[in-house]
């Protein structure tokens, strides 16, 4: 297995985490371990890394790449939404930094059989955790038209979602929709030719929406951020890399809320809400890839990095 994944915003992320020599760090989506290995290089022999991924292939690749640091790394197959329970199981109370690199990896896109790519024909799958039950194939063949429309709009901002959902229902009355190319052909039929010729692949937004629904990515992101902040030491940092506007908006809003103190009306003589600032937002505007990185890795073009620090 060749798990190729170009780590996005690598230098910016490592700098933002402010690595301590004897710290404890968590990579919530270790993938090909590009970020993790740089974290470990900056730590001493007493530093520790918790490497989490729900994709077994990613963990196998990460274990191999980080083998010289094996005594410093805990490899955990799990969804990072359970970060608190993971740390409890390792008897770790607080950590110095957490990294979340959200979304699908280059390996998952390039490995056709995983069903993430609209460029390769395979069974509609899209599961990051291959042991879970819900797949993209089940969704397109069993969700109601209204549910499909909602997913395509809320998770893909696909303005042709209503028509695409309608075409999917008509197609599945005749036969089951099994492969990625089956779905691509339906999408192409649903979207007018003039619109299809305007630039981006016509299936891009629908595939994104299905992937998010299959893996419950937005729900996991919100839970994960709050769990990470709860387990950070004072001065510890959380760095989150996102790849589309929905994710970035969630991160921005949660950081903003966590950085907000008392919300009592100004006329109240004393605070009764008991709300205190939990974090300081390090970068008000997201950090984006440099021109040099964009030239080397086209897939980094939509990446955004936001960082907060525990108070």
């Amino acid at each position: 297995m060749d798990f190729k994944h170009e780590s996005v915003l690598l230098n910016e992320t490592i700098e933002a985490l402010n690595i301590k020599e004897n710290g404890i760090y968590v990579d919530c989506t270790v993938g090909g371990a590009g970020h993790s290995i740089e974290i470990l290089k900056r730590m001493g022999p007493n530093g520790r890394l918790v490497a989490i991924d729900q994709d077994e292939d990613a963990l196998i690749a990460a274990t191999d790449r980080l083998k010289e640091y094996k005594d410093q790394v805990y490899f955990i197959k799990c969804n990072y939404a359970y970060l608190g329970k993971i740390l409890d199981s390792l008897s770790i109370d607080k950590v110095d930094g957490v990294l979340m690199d959200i979304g699908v990896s280059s390996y998952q896109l390039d490995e056709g059989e995983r069903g993430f790519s609209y460029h390769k024909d395979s069974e509609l799958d899209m599961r990051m955790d291959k042991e879970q039950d819900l797949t993209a194939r089940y969704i397109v063949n069993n969700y109601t038209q209204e549910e499909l429309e909602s997913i395509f709009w809320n998770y893909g901002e696909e303005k042709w979602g209503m028509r695409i959902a309608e075409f999917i229902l008509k197609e599945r009355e005749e036969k089951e929709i099994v492969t990625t190319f089956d779905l691509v052909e339906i999408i192409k039929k649903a979207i007018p030719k003039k619109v299809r010729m305007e630039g981006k692949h016509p299936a891009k937004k629908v595939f994104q929406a299905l992937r998010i629904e299959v893996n419950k990515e937005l729900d996991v992101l919100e839970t994960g951020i709050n769990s990470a902040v709860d387990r950070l030491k004072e001065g510890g940092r959380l760095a989150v890399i996102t790849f589309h506007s929905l994710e970035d908006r969630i991160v921005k809003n949660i950081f903003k809320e966590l950085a907000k103190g008392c919300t009592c009306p100004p006329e109240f003589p004393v605070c009764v809400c008991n709300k205190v600032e939990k974090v300081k937002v390090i970068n008000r505007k997201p950090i984006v890839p440099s021109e040099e990185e964009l030239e080397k890795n086209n897939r980094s073009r939509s990446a955004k990095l936001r960082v907060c620090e525990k108070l």
Side-chain angles (χ1 to χ4, degrees):
M1 177 188 63
D2 189 9
F3 197 108
K4 293 181 180 178
H5 181 59
E6 191 84 25
S7 296
V8 173
L9 292 164
L10 180 59
N11 295 331
E12 294 88 343
T13 303
I14 299 303
E15 183 180 341
L17 284 171
N18 197 19
I19 308 297
K20 295 178 181 176
E21 186 177 0
N22 296 320
I24 303 174
Y25 291 85
V26 181
D27 189 340
C28 289
T29 47
V30 67
H35 289 103
S36 282
I37 198 165
E38 294 303 323
I39 292 171
L40 287 159
K41 284 177 182 177
R42 286 159 176 78
M43 291 198 292
N46 293 322
R48 293 291 180 267
L49 176 75
V50 181
I52 303 168
D53 210 295
Q54 60 183 328
D55 188 330
E56 190 170 352
D57 291 346
L59 276 181
I60 292 169
T63 302
D64 181 61
R65 188 169 188 189
L66 302 178
K67 58 190 173 187
E68 66 178 286
Y69 301 99
K70 65 181 185 299
D71 295 334
Q72 295 176 250
V73 186
Y74 304 100
F75 293 100
I76 308 291
K77 183 185 181 298
C78 194
N79 190 300
Y80 68 86
Y82 301 101
L83 177 59
K85 291 182 178 179
I86 292 168
L87 294 179
D88 287 343
S89 72
L90 299 171
S91 299
I92 296 172
D93 182 26
K94 300 288 184 180
V95 299
D96 295 278
V98 179
L99 166 63
M100 297 177 183
D101 183 357
I102 308 303
V104 66
S105 70
S106 299
Y107 165 80
Q108 288 164 334
L109 285 170
D110 294 338
E111 192 74 6
E113 67 183 31
R114 301 296 295 272
F116 288 103
S117 176
Y118 39 79
H119 292 300
K120 297 182 179 182
D121 196 19
S122 69
E123 184 174 339
L124 272 169
D125 194 321
M126 301 194 192
R127 292 173 297 172
M128 291 183 181
D129 179 356
K130 292 188 281 187
E131 293 180 1
Q132 76 172 44
D133 294 327
L134 185 64
T135 65
R137 177 174 173 176
Y138 179 86
I139 290 169
V140 298
N141 286 289
N142 293 278
Y143 276 29
T144 66
Q145 183 171 332
E146 292 74 18
E147 287 172 330
L148 290 172
E149 289 170 13
S150 176
I151 290 167
F152 297 157
W153 175 250
N154 291 324
Y155 298 160
E157 298 177 321
E158 174 55 79
K159 65 181 181 181
W160 294 97
M162 186 180 296
R163 187 171 161 87
I164 293 168
E166 184 183 327
F167 274 57
I168 286 173
L169 260 73
K170 286 181 180 176
E171 183 73 20
R172 76 190 198 192
E173 285 176 4
E174 301 295 324
K175 60 178 182 177
E176 185 180 11
I177 301 164
V178 175
T179 71
T180 52
F181 278 11
D182 287 346
L183 181 57
V184 168
E185 287 306 310
I186 296 167
I187 295 167
K188 286 180 177 179
K189 290 175 188 175
I191 298 177
K193 184 177 180 180
K194 184 179 178 181
V195 177
R196 295 203 313 269
M197 305 301 287
E198 287 177 352
K200 292 180 180 178
H201 195 287
K204 179 181 174 67
K205 293 180 178 180
V206 168
F207 271 62
Q208 172 185 295
L210 286 171
R211 192 199 80 219
I212 290 172
E213 173 66 12
V214 168
N215 299 289
K216 306 299 180 188
E217 292 176 35
L218 302 189
D219 296 338
V220 168
L221 178 57
E222 185 168 351
T223 303
I225 290 174
N226 284 299
S227 296
V229 169
D230 285 344
R231 302 307 285 259
L232 282 174
K233 297 177 183 177
E234 183 180 333
R237 290 189 171 185
L238 167 61
V240 186
I241 302 171
T242 60
F243 288 87
H244 59 74
S245 59
L246 294 171
E247 294 170 340
D248 182 59
R249 197 177 307 136
I250 288 172
V251 178
K252 177 183 176 181
N253 290 339
I254 295 176
F255 279 14
K256 185 178 179 181
E257 188 62 30
L258 290 169
K260 194 184 295 181
C262 174
T263 56
C264 293
E267 62 268 20
F268 278 29
V270 293
C271 173
V272 294
C273 72
N274 297 317
K275 192 174 187 305
V276 295
E277 299 171 55
K278 288 188 176 182
V279 304
K280 173 176 70 175
V281 177
I282 300 300
N283 54 316
R284 294 289 171 182
K285 291 186 177 180
I287 298 168
V288 296
S290 63
E291 290 297 326
E292 183 181 359
E293 180 169 2
L294 289 170
E295 287 179 14
K296 290 180 180 177
N297 181 11
N298 184 49
R299 285 178 177 167
S300 71
R301 64 190 179 279
S302 58
K304 292 180 179 179
L305 168 65
R306 292 187 185 270
V307 186
C308 70
E309 182 176 294
K310 182 74 173 284
L311 296 175

